[in-house]
Amino acid sequence: MRRLALGLAALATAAASVTAVGTGTAHAATPTCNTAISYTTVHGFTATIPSAGGNVSCLLARGNNGSAVKALQSALNDCYGENLVKDGIFGAGTQAALRRAQSDEGQTADGVYGPRTRDAIHWRVPGFACDRVNGPG
């Protein structure tokens, strides 16, 4: 009986390890945005959007900071009428503003920026207009 209990415990531990590795791998596949780049909008304008070393399929969430967050804050201010301080800090205000923009665009309002949000929201372009981008997929 004791061997059976030890065997079941070892099996449960192994299963938990496999689950943890699988979960971590999914998050590792999408990098955190750490910079901003110029990107072409659907109407041929240039907008500054978050990227991770040129990869525009990246994530931003509360606690992130830097030029990628500033690009997002600029879009939220200029295209959605928010009044965020463009400080590059993804705090409660940026999260709430992003949730409102996601909701306005019919997206899940989770306050996390990723590829779906990138393609759904509007970005500031020259002349104070706003436009969408088509991401790489």
Side-chain angles (χ1 to χ4, degrees):
M1 193 63 147
R2 184 171 182 208
R3 279 188 183 165
L4 179 61
L6 290 174
L8 290 174
L11 183 59
T13 302
S17 297
V18 170
T19 301
V21 170
T23 302
T25 302
H27 290 291
T30 307
T32 300
C33 307
N34 57 11
T35 189
I37 62 168
S38 293
Y39 202 78
T40 304
T41 69
V42 295
H43 294 103
F45 298 107
T46 300
T48 301
I49 69 170
S51 88
N55 178 0
V56 296
S57 294
C58 56
L59 298 174
L60 282 173
R62 195 164 175 177
N64 292 137
N65 59 65
S67 60
V69 177
K70 280 186 181 180
L72 178 59
Q73 290 169 330
S74 291
L76 294 170
N77 284 350
D78 296 340
C79 300
Y80 293 92
E82 297 292 342
N83 193 24
L84 299 168
V85 175
K86 292 187 269 185
D87 57 5
I89 299 170
F90 197 125
T94 300
Q95 184 180 42
L98 181 57
R99 282 184 176 145
R100 287 188 290 274
Q102 288 170 322
S103 180
D104 287 352
E105 300 302 343
Q107 302 295 303
T108 300
D110 59 6
V112 176
Y113 171 88
R116 287 185 181 148
T117 297
R118 174 202 63 222
D119 293 347
I121 68 172
H122 289 83
W123 298 93
R124 184 188 178 286
V125 297
F128 300 104
C130 295
D131 200 4
R132 288 196 169 95
V133 299
N134 280 333

